[in-house]
Amino acid sequence: EAHLNPASVKGLGIDKNHEKRLAIGLSRPKVRYLLDLSDKFGDGSLSNEKLRRMKDIEVVEALCKVKGLGEWSVQMFMMFSLGRPDILPVGDLVVRKAFKRLYEMEVGPDAETEVEELPGRNDLLRIANSWRPYRTIGSWYMWHVVETKEAAYTFGC
């Protein structure tokens, strides 16, 4: 069983070996992101233990400093790797579509599920405020609303 750590990531040589990088399916930018994350774990500014102890906002702030990681990626990490119960991925397209369907939000003149016609961050935060401290579970339901025919039938979508 292989264990990844900063030294083993650097030892892969993926930053210099084009064939190896392609063989494992990494683009040049993804290699830079992986090496930046590895550097931050290597110098101690990040660690699994530190991330587990941080408040949600602190995790977002710390991980968004890593090249290639944005708010959505960090929120997915917090939900699925750290098991945080109160995460609402307001930038997630499927979650936004589900809010629109479930809450019958008419955002634009011919509001379907076009990206520019979906509810925004503040709308989602306002509606989901009553879900606290379990917005992660609410988000799972939002994915279910859009991604299953049964949910679409149940909710009349």
Side-chain angles (χ1 to χ4, degrees):
E1 181 176 306
H3 294 281
L4 282 180
N5 59 50
S8 65
V9 169
K10 294 241 187 234
L12 292 173
I14 53 177
D15 53 333
K16 297 179 178 78
N17 187 325
H18 179 70
E19 289 79 24
K20 187 180 245 183
R21 177 179 59 77
L22 290 177
I24 58 176
L26 292 176
S27 65
R28 280 189 178 92
K30 286 183 182 172
V31 167
R32 286 193 297 273
Y33 306 155
L34 183 59
L35 292 174
D36 188 48
L37 180 62
S38 177
D39 287 344
K40 287 179 175 35
F41 269 80
D43 70 18
S45 57
L46 287 177
S47 72
N48 291 334
E49 186 57 35
K50 283 181 182 179
L51 290 169
R52 278 192 285 277
R53 286 194 319 252
M54 288 178 184
K55 294 178 181 176
D56 292 344
I57 190 66
E58 294 170 329
V59 174
V60 172
E61 289 170 356
L63 290 179
C64 281
K65 291 178 184 174
V66 176
K67 291 179 188 130
L69 290 182
E71 183 182 46
W72 181 86
S73 299
V74 174
Q75 289 170 334
M76 295 301 111
F77 173 75
M78 292 188 329
M79 291 170 78
F80 296 107
S81 292
L82 295 179
R84 299 292 173 97
D86 195 33
I87 305 301
L88 179 68
V90 294
D92 189 275
L93 182 60
V94 174
V95 168
R96 292 174 64 206
K97 283 182 178 185
F99 267 83
K100 182 175 179 166
R101 286 182 181 176
L102 191 59
Y103 289 95
E104 298 176 348
M105 301 172 81
E106 293 296 325
V107 184
D110 295 316
E112 286 297 318
T113 52
E114 300 298 323
V115 174
E116 63 272 5
E117 302 295 339
L118 293 175
R121 173 187 204 95
N122 291 337
D123 294 322
L124 273 59
L125 290 170
R126 179 180 45 76
I127 291 168
N129 191 52
S130 64
W131 303 356
R132 286 180 177 273
Y134 303 108
R135 292 181 300 175
T136 296
I137 295 168
S139 299
W140 295 340
Y141 281 106
M142 293 294 105
W143 285 316
H144 180 72
V145 164
V146 172
E147 295 179 342
T148 66
K149 290 180 183 176
E150 294 80 18
Y153 176 77
T154 303
F155 294 110
C157 301

